[in-house]
Amino acid sequence: MSSSGAAGLLYPLLGACLWAAVVAYKPVIIVHGLFDSSGDFKNLQRFINESHPGTNVTVIDLFDRSASLQPMWKQVEGFKDAVYPIMQNAADGVHFICYSQGGLVCRGILSTLSDHNVHSFISLSSPQAGQYGDTDYLKYLFPQFVKSNLYHLCYTAVGQRVSICNYWNDPHHKDLYVNSSDYLALLNGERPSPNSTEWKKNFLMIKKLVLIGGPDDGVITPWQSSQFGFYNDNETVVEMQHQDLYLSDFFGLKTLAARGDVIICSVPGVEHVWWHSNETVFHSCIERCFISFSTIFETLQLQ
């Protein structure tokens, strides 16, 4: 075929793709983090609407402020009830943007909802491998504790009623964490659960996992937890690819990576409270998930 003939076929196809992208962007669901509320995400909503006009963006208004300290499984059930109708009305699926603690809430939803239709799960500075650090949040919530002794509270029935304790991961007391965590240890498959096989199947229904974080976060500790890295018992960070939860593929992380569906996006210079308001983060790490025609364009260029 001549180059002019190929171009004649290419341009209408691209035009159709562009038109489809404009009129049929997938809805975006945003789940907030600890001590946040839906009003904190106006900048992120604006970024999305400016770059992809007409996109249906919903920030779920549940468990705001101090209510975000309620147990994680309770939050999962509440958020699940809120997002399910949005999913049902989105024949082509939805995107999840889940910030900080909200990233772990979304993992719970994706693992336990057998008919979800989440296309991209964008985890925005979320402690996916757990949290272990003397941060301002810790000092505010538990002024009588530091990271080295918080396990005395977190790994009890009382402590597990507080969201932070549900993903507190003390590398010096791993057995206590595995046996006491009612949430993260189960989600990560570090403690056997009769639901593990089903949860893994459900989680693997996503098409893309985007893990966003950076070295200047100041809250997620270690910051690599936002990308499934974590401390060993010497508090040396072990990257995702060398973690047992990855190597054993407990919940499907290694499978996603083998599919080429894990995107790691590290951005320096961003403090924790600014991830969802940083335009560079949006354009560099998030926006790509909304451009459904880019892969088609790249494929056509190679042919």
Side-chain angles (χ1 to χ4, degrees):
M1 180 182 293
S2 68
S3 59
S4 60
L9 291 175
L10 174 61
Y11 293 142
L13 178 57
L14 284 178
C17 291
L18 286 166
W19 179 83
V22 170
V23 300
Y25 288 126
K26 292 176 174 62
V28 177
I29 300 172
I30 299 174
V31 175
H32 69 73
L34 187 67
F35 296 136
D36 296 322
S37 72
S38 58
D40 297 327
F41 292 82
K42 292 179 180 178
N43 285 331
L44 182 54
Q45 288 179 283
R46 177 170 58 83
F47 298 155
I48 295 170
N49 286 320
E50 286 178 351
S51 61
H52 299 84
T55 302
N56 180 4
V57 182
T58 305
V59 186
I60 306 300
D61 190 19
L62 282 176
F63 298 101
D64 294 355
R65 307 306 182 195
S66 61
S68 63
L69 290 169
Q70 294 189 43
M72 293 293 284
W73 283 120
K74 182 177 181 179
Q75 294 192 49
V76 167
E77 291 307 311
F79 278 107
K80 190 191 299 184
D81 289 342
V83 304
Y84 192 62
I86 303 173
M87 293 179 181
Q88 287 184 307
N89 289 322
D92 294 327
V94 302
H95 298 301
F96 259 1
I97 302 178
C98 309
Y99 168 64
S100 195
Q101 178 178 277
L104 290 173
V105 171
C106 288
R107 284 228 4 240
I109 296 171
L110 293 170
S111 298
T112 59
L113 191 57
S114 61
D115 58 344
H116 76 76
N117 60 354
V118 173
H119 184 278
S120 299
F121 169 31
I122 301 166
S123 173
L124 185 57
S125 188
S126 174
Q128 294 293 350
Q131 173 74 7
Y132 183 73
D134 285 320
T135 66
D136 290 341
Y137 286 81
L138 180 66
K139 295 171 186 175
Y140 171 74
L141 287 169
F142 307 112
Q144 69 274 39
F145 290 96
V146 293
K147 68 178 186 180
S148 61
N149 62 13
L150 186 59
Y151 74 94
H152 287 296
L153 171 64
C154 276
Y155 299 152
T156 66
V158 172
Q160 288 296 302
R161 297 175 189 168
V162 181
S163 63
I164 293 176
C165 287
N166 290 157
Y167 51 89
W168 187 256
N169 187 354
D170 189 327
H172 306 290
H173 298 91
K174 205 69 176 179
D175 288 345
L176 279 176
Y177 157 73
V178 168
N179 292 314
S180 303
S181 172
D182 288 339
Y183 191 74
L184 187 61
L186 292 172
L187 272 188
N188 282 350
E190 294 162 299
R191 183 163 89 239
S193 164
N195 300 310
S196 294
T197 300
E198 181 67 19
W199 288 358
K200 181 176 180 179
K201 177 184 176 183
N202 295 341
F203 186 71
L204 284 171
M205 289 165 59
I206 64 174
K207 302 299 186 288
K208 293 291 179 184
L209 171 62
V210 184
L211 301 171
I212 304 171
D216 301 303
D217 182 274
V219 172
I220 305 304
T221 314
W223 74 265
Q224 291 92 340
S225 179
S226 60
Q227 298 165 351
F228 285 103
F230 205 72
Y231 293 130
N232 62 15
D233 56 8
N234 293 318
E235 294 191 32
T236 299
V237 173
V238 178
E239 299 293 345
M240 176 184 74
Q241 293 88 342
H242 303 291
Q243 291 283 341
D244 286 344
L245 59 81
Y246 176 88
L247 295 170
S248 299
D249 203 27
F250 289 137
F251 61 93
L253 185 58
K254 187 176 181 181
T255 297
L256 279 175
R259 280 174 16 191
D261 291 334
V262 177
I263 299 170
I264 304 291
C265 194
S266 302
V267 183
V270 183
E271 296 178 6
H272 187 69
V273 297
W274 297 110
W275 285 102
H276 48 72
S277 299
N278 188 296
E279 199 161 4
T280 298
V281 171
F282 174 74
H283 290 302
S284 301
C285 305
I286 298 174
E287 185 181 16
R288 69 175 75 177
C289 298
F290 306 148
I291 306 177
S292 58
F293 58 83
S294 60
T295 301
I296 298 172
F297 180 71
E298 290 164 2
T299 301
L300 287 168
Q301 282 186 313
L302 293 173
Q303 290 179 343

